[in-house]
Amino acid sequence: MNNESAFPAFPVNGWQVGTVDELNGVVIRFGYSTSPHAPGGSTFESQFFSLTPEKVKSLIYDLQVSLHKYEEKVA
């Protein structure tokens, strides 16, 4: 994932996170835009995604690793 132009990436402009007792985990939904640069781009919301506690921890870890790599590159 080192080349941004290799695939379309929709900018996230928000999210909703919460718990649902019946799902025994965490749900997340993203808000995203179809255009990062042009004003008036369409905005959408994804479906809710259900994650187990283990998947949440793994996602947090992966996000932290990616953020550190990005921060080292731009520092």
Side-chain angles (χ1 to χ4, degrees):
M1 291 194 182
N2 293 334
N3 187 346
E4 183 178 319
S5 63
F7 57 89
F10 300 98
V12 172
N13 55 25
W15 54 84
Q16 293 177 301
V17 177
T19 60
V20 177
D21 292 338
E22 297 82 24
L23 296 176
N24 297 318
V26 174
V27 293
I28 186 167
R29 171 163 68 181
F30 293 101
Y32 62 97
S33 175
T34 58
S35 175
H37 306 293
S42 298
T43 58
F44 298 94
E45 289 188 340
S46 71
Q47 299 294 319
F48 278 100
F49 299 100
S50 176
L51 294 97
T52 63
E54 293 78 20
K55 288 291 185 187
V56 171
K57 291 174 186 176
S58 179
L59 176 59
I60 291 168
Y61 174 80
D62 290 345
L63 288 169
Q64 288 175 329
V65 168
S66 295
L67 177 60
H68 290 294
K69 287 180 183 178
Y70 171 78
E71 290 175 333
E72 289 175 357
K73 190 181 296 186
V74 298

